[in-house]
Amino acid sequence: MNAILVRLWNLLKIGTLQWYLLWFMHHKYIVGTSAVIFNEQRQILLLRHRFWREGSWGLPGGYAEHGESLEETVCREVREETGYEVEIERVLRLVSGYKLRLEVSFVGRLVGGERRLDAREIIEARFFAPDDLPAGLIRSHQHLISMALAGEGSERSVVSLHPTFPRR
């Protein structure tokens, strides 16, 4: 039976048909991103988000869109939510396994832009000193900040949804 499956697979030729078959046969994941963003004073960008529990603060981030690298996702989300331009420096953490969800956290830095909040989503955005973080900071985000301050994570960001595939 296995020999027949292998033969059928090889008849499909490597490429589009095989990819669609794999896509239909496997679960789909939601891919979320977040980032610890530092300004020149090494303060950390935190947000109060309308969709989070009242009084909570957390890191910027959001969900990847089709054809977007994970680094591009974080940069887009920060720009849309705050007006700031950021540059991603490294991967901090990758977590999977919770309800078909993949979460990738990065470390980055502010490189420009002007503060312009998206009032539909963001209540407040501020930079905080690492030793003066606000009450209500989401516990998992506190852990990510501690990791970033300790220099944990990979040296350079290498995660991408399309690392070697040309865009069409």
Side-chain angles (χ1 to χ4, degrees), residues 2 13 15-17 55 63 71 93 101 103 108 115 120 124 135 143-144 151 153-154 157-158 160 163:
N2 193 44
K13 305 285 186 215
T16 305
L17 289 175
Y63 296 101
E71 297 91 340
R93 184 179 75 169
R101 182 172 170 160
E103 296 183 26
R115 188 171 178 265
R120 294 171 299 171
E124 189 174 359
H143 180 66
L144 291 170
S154 67
S157 176
V158 294
S160 180

Side-chain angles (χ1 to χ4, degrees), residues 23 74 124:
W23 189 86
V74 171
E124 189 174 359

Side-chain angles (χ1 to χ4, degrees), residues 35 45-49 52 56-60 134 136-138 141 145:
L45 177 62
L46 295 175
L47 310 176
R48 285 185 51 223
H49 204 289
W52 294 344
S56 63
W57 286 87
L59 298 169
L137 179 59
I138 296 169
H141 292 195
I145 291 168

Side-chain angles (χ1 to χ4, degrees), residues 140-168:
S140 61
H141 292 195
Q142 171 63 57
H143 180 66
L144 291 170
I145 291 168
S146 296
M147 289 174 64
L149 291 170
E152 295 179 27
S154 67
E155 277 186 34
R156 190 74 183 124
S157 176
V158 294
V159 174
S160 180
L161 288 176
H162 304 289
T164 58
F165 302 119
R167 300 218 176 174
R168 294 182 188 205

Side-chain angles (χ1 to χ4, degrees), residues 112-144:
E114 292 183 25
R115 188 171 178 265
R116 188 183 64 256
L117 301 184
D118 177 356
R120 294 171 299 171
E121 291 187 51
I122 305 303
I123 299 168
E124 189 174 359
R126 291 188 5 214
F127 283 93
F128 291 88
D131 60 352
D132 192 27
L133 298 174
L137 179 59
I138 296 169
R139 186 176 303 193
S140 61
H141 292 195
Q142 171 63 57
H143 180 66
L144 291 170

Side-chain angles (χ1 to χ4, degrees), residues 25-84:
M25 291 174 57
H26 290 86
H27 293 287
K28 312 310 176 272
Y29 278 78
I30 295 171
V31 180
T33 63
S34 63
V36 179
I37 303 294
F38 292 99
N39 65 10
E40 289 180 354
Q41 294 79 36
R42 295 287 293 164
Q43 296 172 317
I44 300 158
L45 177 62
L46 295 175
L47 310 176
R48 285 185 51 223
H49 204 289
R50 291 195 187 285
F51 300 112
W52 294 344
R53 189 173 347 138
E54 189 173 335
S56 63
W57 286 87
L59 298 169
Y63 296 101
E65 294 179 355
H66 177 74
E68 183 175 62
S69 75
L70 299 176
E71 297 91 340
E72 290 169 341
T73 297
V74 171
C75 294
R76 175 186 51 77
E77 286 287 345
V78 171
R79 184 175 48 255
E80 288 175 0
E81 293 177 346
T82 67
Y84 293 134

